[in-house]
Amino acid sequence: MSNRNNLQLETERLLLRPMLQSDFDALLLIFTDPNVIAAFNHPPFTREQMQRWLQRNLGHQNEFGYGLFSVILKETGELIGDCGLEQMDDMNAAELGYDFRSDFWNQGYATEAASAVRDYAFDGLHLPHLISLIRVGNLASKRVAEKVGMTLVEEFTRYGSQYWKFALKNQNA
């Protein structure tokens, strides 16, 4: 997933490629979408916040060799979301996460992308398990986690918000 090897994942409808600085404007559309940002209980990102978020994710890619992919709709070449892995040191696991523009919700794109990343995490990176942290009440993200095989293991408070923690073990590890 890193820019070093420029790995791309491909599904029937999507191309997942390493995130680039040039994705800034398309990513800003996601994180200023009121429907998307409601899941975070956070105001829409400013350009400065988006730049910090992007730099943090690009740094993660370089440090760990994996990170978030930019999700491209093959039919149009449009960036419609992000999906990938973030190392969660405080939880000793990689988190499978995903964010998509709301005009692309309910079409199976998040599940399609998350399934490809799950397979890469287990078959390519040989990670022992994955987690997903989802704000309590985000039923769409909960369904995606369940569709890729994750199960709810706990509900907890993090940074003053309630989260569901979903997990999945690598059966081949």
Side-chain angles (χ1 to χ4, degrees):
M1 274 196 229
S2 80
N3 283 327
R4 290 187 294 263
N5 61 18
N6 215 21
L7 174 74
Q8 296 187 358
L9 304 178
E10 193 169 337
T11 69
E12 181 182 338
R13 302 178 295 167
L14 304 171
L15 176 66
L16 286 74
R17 62 155 173 75
M19 195 171 281
L20 303 170
Q21 179 63 45
S22 59
D23 294 333
F24 178 88
D25 288 329
L27 290 166
L28 187 62
L29 285 176
I30 297 167
F31 290 96
T32 56
D33 181 327
N35 296 314
V36 172
I37 214 70
F40 296 100
N41 193 28
H42 187 280
F45 278 22
T46 64
R47 292 184 69 80
E48 182 180 293
Q49 289 169 318
M50 186 75 247
Q51 188 59 46
R52 282 196 307 267
W53 183 92
L54 181 57
Q55 289 308 311
R56 184 176 59 83
N57 284 293
L58 293 174
H60 184 281
Q61 275 181 177
N62 291 331
E63 181 179 351
F64 293 97
Y66 60 82
L68 293 176
F69 286 107
S70 290
V71 179
I72 311 299
L73 187 60
K74 288 187 341 188
E75 184 179 324
T76 64
E78 188 174 10
L79 190 156
I80 63 168
D82 68 73
C83 182
L85 304 168
E86 181 179 356
Q87 185 59 38
M88 305 291 286
D89 290 332
D90 61 333
M91 299 196 172
N92 196 30
E95 180 190 15
L96 172 59
Y98 33 86
D99 307 291
F100 284 79
R101 281 184 15 210
S102 63
D103 52 332
F104 289 95
W105 289 359
N106 299 312
Q107 298 175 57
Y109 294 124
T111 301
E112 191 173 323
S115 295
V117 171
R118 173 206 60 207
D119 293 348
Y120 175 67
F122 288 162
D123 301 336
L125 296 173
H126 307 289
L127 298 178
H129 60 277
L130 294 174
I131 62 169
S132 280
L133 305 180
I134 299 167
R135 285 182 59 90
V136 169
N138 186 342
L139 299 180
S141 286
K142 176 181 183 278
R143 280 192 301 276
V144 171
E146 291 169 341
K147 286 179 183 178
V148 300
M150 296 182 142
T151 55
L152 180 63
V153 293
E154 71 175 304
E155 185 175 317
F156 68 101
T157 303
R158 181 181 176 104
Y159 309 124
S161 297
Q162 288 296 111
Y163 284 88
W164 289 315
K165 179 180 176 183
F166 282 79
L168 179 64
K169 290 184 187 216
N170 185 345
Q171 299 304 314
N172 300 322

